[in-house]
Amino acid sequence: MALLLSVAFAVQNPISHYWHKITDPTFRSVYHANGFDLAMMIPYFIVLLVLAVYGLHRYWLVYDYFAYSKNIPPDPPPVTQWPRVTVQLPIFNERYVIERLVEAVSRFDYPAELLDVQVLDDSTDETRDVARACVERHAAQGMPIVYIHRTNREGYKAGALENGLKTSTGEFVAIFDADFLPEPDFLRRTIPYFMNPDGGGKIGMVQTRWTYLNSDYSLLTNVETILLDGHFVVEHGARSRRGTFFNFNGTAGVWRRKAIDDAGGWQHDTLTEDTDLSYRSQLKGWKFLYLPQIECASELPVDMNGFKAQQARWAKGLMQTAKKILPKVLKSDAPWHVKTEAFFHLTGNISYPLMILLSTMLLPAMIVRFYQGWFQMLVIDLPLFLASTCSISSFYLVSQRELRPKTWWRTFLYMPFVMATGIGISVRNAQAVIEALLGKKSEFARTPKFNIEGKQGTFAKKSYRNKAGWMPYAEVLLGLYFSLTIVYAISNENYATVPFLLLFVWGYLYTGCMSLGQTYFARLRFGVNAPEMRPATSGAPGF
């Protein structure tokens, strides 16, 4: 009995001590806020509040996803007369994957006399020879395919697509990026929705769901899979079911040519020309369909620098689109819920510079809040943190449960890495968002792909890798800064904040060190062996 009482006292003693620490009123009567405290706490709470609002929006998307679960398009009737379709394949320096893409399109189960395939090549390297030879080979076998090369990159991808439309003959336009592998029945499954006598004539675009050839390649690609699944399951699902605007993802979709022309065609004053055209088209009254049951395989970025370049391009492009399109949306006759969702969709990346601002203020805010009382911190700060951060977990867990009902629980193991990676890329994305707000233009930074499927393949000796620049050093410094913040939290027995702070440490150090490491050691990844390169699927030598 004495032993049991001793153990119980030993367990209760730290808990009671910590509770006394939280409710200790020592400073309550002697503390008075000064100018410095107010200068720190006012922006601190403004940032927390804004992040919490965007976090609550994620909960709202999850609610819409389930609340309008019955609002899915029914299967269309059989097509009696198939229309002519143009298939556009825009590429730029994609020597590792262009043959794989053309091979996939050549297997389309669609009347060849109704197809018009365009390889839109802006390449400046040997991709031109590879792509031209590939097109000539398939054309000789009867495939209706042409090779169109531009000597300049005016308008980048949007310019290439617009240039291809000048000679296209299709009533509908299917678009696939270089790293995608559409199934042979892709057109036969998507085109019928446009031909449906019951409202099909109002449909301007059909978007399908991405899947991934190399999800298990590394920790990074596993995290990317979860991030993109959240977008394609919950975001697209909620918006399409509720009837709000959503965007074409730039690939793995089919447009009605008339909807493109009616909206003003492809424009290249933003880095997300797909979202720009999507909103302009929907403002003209065209309806969009999202078909998650139709999948299109793609290749995920396998290097950290390429991943960060992709995310930064999307973040900057969406903010550019917000500046251009959002005033038109707010002035339109669209319902209030459409306008509200468009606002959150297009401005969501403002959270990245706010995250950086929160990062720099966290340590002094912790010091000030310590003297104001721990109880206030738990009652005020903690709910705001939960609203802005835990919504991320629910958002991505729902998407995995929908896609993988038997194994979705494994996502719990990846959630700390998902949240940490989102924090880690905030430096690069914050720079991109600020550049967009300031009107600074930049080139279309493509995401290089290396023909990597499953756990096989490597990019160690391949070209196209993005440069690290100075950004990883800033990320590493932020990681070290948060390490000191953890030391301060532990020394003041603020243990409740340590797990949250560890996400910042891991996120900044992981993205920074991986960017620097893969710059000099391209094989660097976690838990996967990198074998030697394989020949291309066509039998041509690998590069």
Side-chain angles (χ1 to χ4, degrees):
M1 180 64 69
L3 179 62
L4 290 175
L5 289 174
S6 300
V7 172
F9 178 78
V11 172
Q12 292 177 3
N13 188 53
I15 298 176
S16 61
H17 173 71
Y18 189 56
W19 177 253
H20 174 73
K21 178 91 174 173
I22 292 174
T23 58
D24 185 11
T26 301
F27 297 100
R28 194 167 300 165
S29 59
V30 299
Y31 171 77
H32 298 284
N34 54 36
F36 173 78
D37 293 353
L38 293 176
M40 286 304 305
M41 298 314 300
I42 291 176
Y44 170 75
F45 277 113
I46 291 175
V47 170
L48 260 185
L49 183 62
V50 174
L51 289 174
V53 169
Y54 280 96
L56 291 173
H57 172 250
R58 295 190 191 95
Y59 287 121
W60 188 256
L61 283 174
V62 173
Y63 169 78
D64 280 350
Y65 178 78
F66 289 108
Y68 298 92
S69 59
K70 295 182 179 180
N71 294 350
I72 56 177
D75 292 336
V79 176
T80 56
Q81 185 174 358
W82 294 96
R84 176 170 288 277
V85 178
T86 293
V87 179
Q88 293 188 318
L89 312 177
I91 64 171
F92 173 69
N93 293 353
E94 298 284 5
R95 56 183 175 177
Y96 304 115
V97 293
I98 178 57
E99 290 181 293
R100 184 180 66 179
L101 170 62
V102 174
E103 182 67 29
V105 173
S106 71
R107 293 193 293 267
F108 273 173
D109 181 19
Y110 200 82
E113 66 276 9
L114 296 177
L115 275 180
D116 167 30
V117 183
Q118 299 176 331
V119 175
L120 307 174
D121 188 12
D122 285 357
S123 298
T124 57
D125 65 358
E126 56 267 40
T127 301
R128 293 172 295 182
D129 299 326
V130 175
R132 185 181 289 107
C134 178
V135 169
E136 291 174 353
R137 183 169 65 251
H138 283 278
Q141 296 172 358
M143 182 179 177
I145 186 171
V146 295
Y147 176 78
I148 302 175
H149 180 261
R150 296 196 305 168
T151 57
N152 62 76
R153 291 190 70 199
E154 182 182 359
Y156 304 108
K157 179 181 175 181
L161 294 172
E162 186 68 26
N163 184 60
L165 288 179
K166 296 176 181 178
T167 56
S168 67
T169 59
E171 180 183 353
F172 299 95
V173 182
I175 302 173
F176 301 98
D177 282 351
D179 56 301
F180 278 71
L181 287 178
E183 293 294 326
D185 61 352
F186 184 91
L187 294 179
R188 284 193 176 271
R189 296 182 67 187
T190 54
I191 294 297
Y193 287 91
F194 294 98
M195 311 301 292
N196 192 342
D198 186 15
K202 298 180 179 179
I203 297 174
M205 191 278 299
V206 165
Q207 175 68 54
T208 64
R209 183 170 63 85
W210 297 3
T211 57
Y212 318 102
L213 298 165
N214 56 337
S215 293
D216 296 328
Y217 183 77
S218 64
L219 173 63
L220 176 61
T221 55
N222 274 288
V223 168
E224 291 173 328
T225 298
I226 296 172
L227 292 172
L228 286 171
D229 282 344
H231 170 71
F232 278 97
V233 175
V234 178
E235 282 193 79
H236 268 356
R239 290 175 183 140
S240 62
R241 292 175 179 184
R242 180 71 191 276
T244 55
F245 291 172
F246 71 96
N247 62 292
F248 170 56
N249 290 104
T251 179
V254 183
W255 279 87
R256 186 187 296 272
R257 170 67 185 272
K258 186 178 179 181
I260 297 176
D261 296 337
D262 191 32
W266 292 103
Q267 298 176 6
H268 46 82
D269 50 350
T270 73
L271 292 178
T272 48
E273 72 290 326
D274 41 20
T275 303
D276 173 27
L277 178 60
S278 297
Y279 270 81
R280 286 188 282 115
S281 181
Q282 289 169 105
L283 284 173
K284 287 291 186 178
W286 291 99
K287 305 299 181 183
F288 283 14
L289 284 186
Y290 176 52
L291 306 176
Q293 71 275 18
I294 302 178
E295 302 174 353
C296 189
S298 63
E299 183 180 327
L300 294 164
V302 293
D303 66 311
M304 179 61 73
N305 293 318
F307 169 65
K308 289 197 295 186
Q310 179 193 68
Q311 296 296 309
R313 186 181 76 240
W314 290 349
K316 185 171 185 176
L318 276 180
M319 191 55 63
Q320 290 173 330
T321 305
K323 291 176 61 179
K324 174 183 178 180
I325 296 296
L326 198 53
K328 300 178 182 178
V329 175
L330 297 178
K331 293 177 183 178
S332 71
D333 296 329
W336 68 267
H337 68 277
V338 173
K339 296 179 180 180
T340 303
E341 184 56 43
F343 174 84
F344 279 104
H345 178 202
L346 296 177
T347 64
N349 288 302
I350 197 66
S351 60
Y352 287 112
L354 293 179
M355 182 68 71
I356 298 299
L357 189 58
L358 179 68
S359 300
T360 58
M361 293 190 299
L362 204 52
L363 180 56
M366 284 179 60
I367 297 173
V368 173
R369 296 297 278 163
F370 170 78
Y371 290 106
Q372 292 176 343
W374 288 104
F375 191 75
Q376 294 182 39
M377 192 169 182
L378 287 178
V379 173
I380 301 175
D381 299 47
L382 188 60
L384 292 176
F385 272 119
L386 292 178
S388 58
T389 58
C390 288
S391 62
I392 299 175
S393 300
S394 63
F395 187 83
Y396 294 113
L397 287 172
V398 166
S399 66
Q400 294 304 305
R401 191 174 186 273
E402 290 292 289
L403 291 176
R404 303 167 181 85
K406 294 183 179 180
T407 60
W408 72 274
W409 56 269
R410 298 177 183 174
T411 311
F412 280 101
L413 303 176
Y414 285 99
M415 286 316 301
F417 302 105
V418 171
M419 297 178 69
T421 303
I423 292 171
I425 64 176
S426 61
V427 180
R428 179 72 178 272
N429 285 5
Q431 180 195 28
V433 170
I434 292 172
E435 287 179 353
L437 292 174
L438 296 177
K440 182 179 179 181
K441 299 292 184 179
S442 59
E443 289 188 358
F444 186 100
R446 55 178 279 282
T447 307
K449 302 295 168 49
F450 304 102
N451 197 357
I452 293 177
E453 301 179 17
K455 296 183 178 182
Q456 305 300 314
T458 180
F459 60 101
K461 298 180 181 179
K462 295 184 178 180
S463 304
Y464 304 148
R465 293 201 302 274
N466 295 83
K467 296 180 180 179
W470 61 268
M471 198 69 67
Y473 298 100
E475 293 163 353
V476 171
L477 287 176
L478 279 171
L480 296 176
Y481 166 77
F482 275 99
S483 300
L484 297 177
T485 306
I486 291 177
V487 172
Y488 174 83
I490 294 175
S491 65
N492 286 277
E493 300 183 25
N494 186 8
Y495 304 118
T497 62
V498 171
F500 181 77
L501 294 173
L502 281 172
L503 291 177
F504 282 82
V505 174
W506 167 250
Y508 288 127
L509 290 181
Y510 170 63
T511 55
C513 292
M514 283 292 287
S515 293
L516 293 173
Q518 288 183 336
T519 301
Y520 304 103
F521 306 101
R523 289 185 174 87
L524 182 62
R525 50 187 168 135
F526 285 92
V528 186
N529 295 322
E532 292 303 314
M533 290 176 288
R534 302 171 293 147
T537 54
S538 65
F543 291 91

